[in-house]
Structures are given as structure tokens and as C-alpha cells.
Amino acid sequence: MAARTGSDPLQTFRSACHEAARRTPDVTFYELTEACGAPEAFHSAAMSDRRLRHRIVCHPATGHVAFAAPPAYPGSAELRFREPPAWAEVFGWFGLRVLRPEVLATPLASVDVSGLGREERERLRRDRSRTLGELLFSWRTERAARGARPG
């Protein structure tokens, strides 16, 4: 099994994507976007397998990973979380934690957010996130345009 490749979250995520594609027949890793700028930004990868195309998102501060359907149209920021495929276990080998859709749909009223810092609590109030998935992977199109760059 592979081990986490260091303290750089982007490098760890990139390595996990490459390893999943290398180890799994018919899995292709073809795009990576780095989170930068806004503190709520996240890394994003595009991968496909024999059946589906996937958008994989990674929260750089926590190492949480989620699988989503690809955007409905180019430039769409909507995330529609889905069950991770069997090959998602590779991300765990790199110290990343893959979250299932039912965990991401957990209402924030059921989540202990007391450990959040002042900035995160302000963002939580401002963005009005309702679920854990919205809190971890909030995406604002205007911020994304300024804060994302190819990785």
C-alpha cells in the first residue's frame, strides 16, 4: 500500500488520483484543479471509469474527499454527490478520508462545529451552509473564477 506523500495536500491528492488510475483498469485521470485564494476553495479532479465520469473534490485543510457527478454544464459549480466507486479506497491509502453521500448530507444541526475558528464560523453564517457537504465543499462561482488554477 502507498503512504501519504507528505504535507502538501495538493501533491497527496494528485498522487492518489494517479495511483487510482494506475492500479485500476479503465480508470483515467485527466484533469486537476488546485484550490487557491479563497479559504473555502477545494482541489478538484476529473476522472472516469468504464461506467461513469467523476468529479472528485478534496478539502485541502481536512483531507476529506467526495465523489460527485460531473457538472451539468460547463462552468457549473453545483456538486451532486454520489457513491464512491470501489477504486476510491486508494485515496485512503494516502491518508485522505472518502466521505459517502449520506455523511455529506448530514444536517449541520447534527454536527459539532465548536472546533471551527472565528473565520470558519463567520463563513458558516454568511454562506448559510445547511449540510456537512455544503460546509466542506461550498463553491461560489465568482470566487472560483479568481481562486482556481490548473494543477
Side-chain angles (χ1 to χ4, degrees), residues 114-126:
S114 63
L116 294 177
R118 183 183 60 79
E119 185 175 298
E120 289 90 358
R121 286 192 310 272
E122 287 175 10
R123 184 173 60 83
L124 182 60
R125 280 191 293 275
R126 181 185 67 239

Side-chain angles (χ1 to χ4, degrees), residues 4 7-10 12-13 33-35 38-45 56-67 79 81 91 95-99 104 116 120 123 132-139:
R4 192 161 184 157
S7 61
D8 178 11
L10 177 64
T12 300
F13 183 54
T33 303
E34 179 182 1
E40 63 272 8
F42 50 86
H43 305 313
S44 175
I56 301 101
V57 292
C58 177
H59 191 281
T62 66
H64 289 107
V65 172
F67 281 72
L79 288 175
F81 297 114
F91 290 87
L96 302 170
R97 182 171 175 220
V98 178
L99 300 178
L104 294 159
L116 294 177
E120 289 90 358
R123 184 173 60 83
L132 180 60
E134 289 177 5
L135 176 63
L136 288 173
F137 301 111
S138 65
W139 184 268

Side-chain angles (χ1 to χ4, degrees), residues 23-88:
R23 286 184 171 265
T24 313
D26 298 319
V27 170
T28 304
F29 169 38
Y30 55 91
E31 182 180 285
L32 181 74
T33 303
E34 179 182 1
C36 59
E40 63 272 8
F42 50 86
H43 305 313
S44 175
M47 297 179 76
S48 63
D49 57 31
R50 187 176 307 149
R51 293 184 22 235
L52 296 168
R53 290 185 318 128
H54 303 276
R55 181 175 184 196
I56 301 101
V57 292
C58 177
H59 191 281
T62 66
H64 289 107
V65 172
F67 281 72
Y73 54 90
S76 171
E78 178 186 7
L79 288 175
R80 293 170 289 143
F81 297 114
R82 63 164 57 145
E83 284 296 317
W87 48 267

